[in-house]
Amino acid sequence: MGMSVTISAAAAEDVEQIFKLQYLAFQREAELYGNYRIQPLTQTLDSLKSELETDTVLVARLGDEVVGTVRGNVDEDGTAKIAKLCVHPRLQRHGLGGRLLRAVEAALQGDGGTTRFRLHTGHKSESNLRLYRKAGYTQVGGRTASDGVQLVILEKEAKSADDFAVSA
């Protein structure tokens, strides 16, 4: 019987595995754009440690191995910003990215003060765009990242407590 992947909050001791996974998982994006200076590849370990202390960071584990991660935070306007969703290349295309996305949305929804979710991806990243559109995100804009990559900005409204009410 095989092990199942579990999703939970990241712990401080996960930082090096997250760092290595992020570097591995974003190689395909870098290759797609011919740009190995994209932010996930140039982020420092100290910067990641800082995010672990301030943001909601989730990991997907297969046994003791971190095989997926995502992070986010909610700003003062109630916008939950989701970033750096990545899955180990050998586990991609099996639904884990969607599971991580739903898990971080639920975690960031928190007490209901979240009004919308926002994320971005490169304009050539068709599999990412497909995942986000399937999850209900729509394009609301675009921008050029500091590394020169054209980004697509996507959003979706957060569900309110009323959306979960059940009628008899």
Side-chain angles (χ1 to χ4, degrees), residues 67-154:
V67 294
T69 186
V70 64
R71 62 200 85 151
N73 59 59
V74 181
D75 69 16
E76 61 280 349
D77 296 328
T79 299
K81 297 176 181 172
I82 299 170
K84 296 187 185 87
L85 171 64
C86 61
V87 173
H88 193 289
R90 77 174 188 273
L91 295 176
Q92 290 176 359
R93 307 236 189 283
H94 294 286
L96 185 52
R99 285 181 58 200
L100 279 163
L101 183 59
R102 289 187 298 278
V104 77
E105 287 172 353
L108 294 171
Q109 182 81 33
D111 61 11
T114 301
T115 57
R116 77 181 59 79
F117 297 102
R118 178 180 297 149
L119 47 76
H120 63 265
T121 191
H123 73 289
K124 294 180 184 178
S125 304
E126 285 302 321
S127 61
N128 296 349
L129 289 165
R130 199 169 28 258
L131 168 67
Y132 300 142
R133 288 182 180 128
K134 185 177 176 184
Y137 286 81
T138 56
Q139 183 173 344
V140 296
R143 69 178 179 86
T144 302
S146 59
D147 55 31
V149 173
Q150 295 295 315
L151 299 175
V152 176
I153 301 169
L154 302 112

Side-chain angles (χ1 to χ4, degrees), residues 42-55:
T42 60
Q43 182 176 23
T44 65
L45 185 59
D46 285 340
S47 170
L48 178 56
K49 286 178 183 176
S50 176
E51 287 180 5
L52 203 63
E53 294 171 7
T54 60
D55 293 357

